[in-house]
Amino acid sequence: MGQEAEAKWWSRDTVAVVTGANKGIGFEIVRQLAKEGITVVLTARDATRGAEAIESLKKQGFQNVNFHTLDVGSQESIDALAEWLHTTYGAIDILINNAGILDDPNEVNLEIAKSVLATNYFAVKNVTKTLLPLLRDDTPGGARVIVVASRIGQLKGLPNKDYVTTLIDREHITEDFVDSFVNKYLEDVANGNHNKGDWPNWTKLGWQRSMETYAVSKIAVIAYVSALQNTLVARHEGEKKINVFSSCPGYVLTDMSPNGIKTVEEGADTPVWLALHSPKEGLGKLYGERTILDF
């Protein structure tokens, strides 16, 4: 297990925001943070399900939770959340991007690819960029941004070695490069060239399905986390400190993974640990089981 980097610094005045949190891993992340006494904002696209999730938490004794709708695919919805957070809390300390979707198990087409990448990559960027100005200047050790990713985004599943060579150089990854990587994949899907050997096919690594588009989306968000950390470090002088991580929860039993072998409690552990302890040796990197993983 990873070594805690600092003593308890958080309180009821600490504010965390978790996206896609009305069920599964996101809901458990909210529960674990609330259990620590932090004020947690649970977000979900469906207002009814979000309200039901909050009611469930309050019945468990957690009064330090609140709800706001968030459709991560809508900039208008993201802006509305940002305005409400500013009005309600002034600033936040922790942002956990958990919202995500899977691709189709039987086919890859442009509509599916655009939908998955819109949610799993572009929406993560849009939510993060919109909420970055709200991250508090004086959060002890720095404010924290965590993106829930997956080991399926590790580069061992990417056949294109030119991309691997660039992406593995974590300290020099740029957002523009990650965008070009994603857009090239979408171009190859549109042209029917996505199955010619450049893109992930996890059936060759023992999985039951290729998970192609999902894998591309997770490679992209892991790389984006490194790119964002690089940007934040470059402009750090005189500005707020923000620590960014990606985290693989593991193969968790949820609606998205009905054959999962880990509990949601186990899946939420590392994202929550990163949010609370922000280990300085792994900024911008991928974690699993509180340990740095290879990209």
Side-chain angles (χ1 to χ4, degrees):
M1 304 296 275
Q3 181 180 359
E4 294 185 358
E6 57 204 7
K8 180 175 178 178
W9 57 270
W10 55 93
S11 69
R12 184 68 174 256
D13 294 330
T14 304
V15 179
V17 177
V18 186
T19 71
N22 64 284
K23 62 180 179 178
I25 297 168
F27 180 82
E28 180 58 23
I29 289 172
V30 171
R31 193 191 69 81
Q32 290 188 22
L33 289 173
K35 187 177 180 180
E36 290 289 336
I38 289 171
T39 296
V40 190
V41 178
L42 180 157
T43 75
R45 183 173 56 182
D46 187 291
T48 300
R49 291 176 180 173
E52 290 172 350
I54 289 292
E55 183 62 25
S56 172
L57 288 165
K58 290 190 173 180
K59 286 180 178 178
Q60 296 177 49
F62 301 113
Q63 301 305 311
N64 50 325
V65 291
N66 209 340
F67 171 69
H68 197 280
T69 54
L70 174 63
D71 178 354
V72 297
S74 164
Q75 187 60 49
E76 182 180 1
S77 179
I78 299 169
D79 289 341
L81 171 64
E83 182 177 354
W84 178 83
L85 289 169
H86 178 69
T87 300
T88 306
Y89 301 107
I92 66 175
D93 302 273
I94 298 165
L95 169 63
I96 300 183
N97 285 294
N98 171 72
I101 60 175
L102 280 173
D103 53 5
D104 188 286
N106 301 311
E107 65 173 322
V108 175
N109 61 47
L110 188 58
E111 181 181 2
I112 291 169
K114 282 183 174 180
S115 175
V116 171
L117 286 161
T119 299
N120 293 3
Y121 175 61
F122 291 109
V124 168
K125 290 204 310 174
N126 293 339
V127 170
T128 301
K129 288 184 174 183
T130 303
L131 298 190
L132 274 179
L134 289 175
L135 287 167
R136 207 180 306 276
D137 294 333
D138 58 353
T139 301
R144 298 98 200 270
V145 176
I146 295 99
V147 175
V148 176
S150 170
R151 284 174 174 83
I152 204 168
Q154 290 179 298
L155 295 177
K156 66 182 180 181
L158 182 63
N160 186 313
K161 298 310 175 187
D162 290 336
Y163 278 135
V164 171
T165 298
T166 302
L167 290 168
I168 207 165
D169 184 10
R170 304 286 286 276
E171 294 183 358
H172 296 96
I173 294 174
T174 66
E175 184 181 335
D176 285 345
F177 180 79
V178 184
D179 283 349
S180 70
F181 169 81
V182 170
N183 288 327
K184 181 61 168 68
Y185 173 70
L186 290 172
E187 178 186 320
D188 280 0
V189 173
N191 295 334
N193 294 326
H194 62 97
N195 57 0
K196 293 187 177 180
D198 277 345
W199 302 105
N201 187 336
W202 280 76
T203 56
K204 295 178 181 178
L205 297 175
W207 289 51
Q208 292 181 339
R209 47 175 289 196
S210 72
M211 304 284 283
E212 179 183 297
T213 304
Y214 185 72
V216 169
S217 75
K218 293 305 180 181
I219 293 169
V221 294
I222 294 169
Y224 171 66
V225 163
S226 293
L228 177 59
Q229 187 68 54
N230 294 340
T231 299
L232 292 170
V233 168
R235 74 181 195 197
H236 170 54
E237 286 198 25
E239 297 191 22
K240 68 181 71 175
K241 180 94 165 71
I242 302 172
N243 305 320
V244 189
F245 306 93
S246 55
S247 174
C248 174
Y251 194 28
V252 178
L253 177 60
T254 65
D255 289 351
M256 285 179 62
S257 304
N259 297 315
I261 58 175
K262 294 179 69 173
T263 65
V264 288
E265 291 83 3
E266 291 170 324
D269 177 74
T270 296
V272 170
W273 176 77
L274 288 168
L276 297 180
H277 299 292
S278 190
K280 301 302 181 287
E281 68 274 13
L283 297 179
K285 292 189 169 68
L286 173 67
Y287 272 80
E289 289 77 49
R290 302 192 183 188
T291 302
I292 297 172
L293 302 177
D294 292 334
F295 187 5

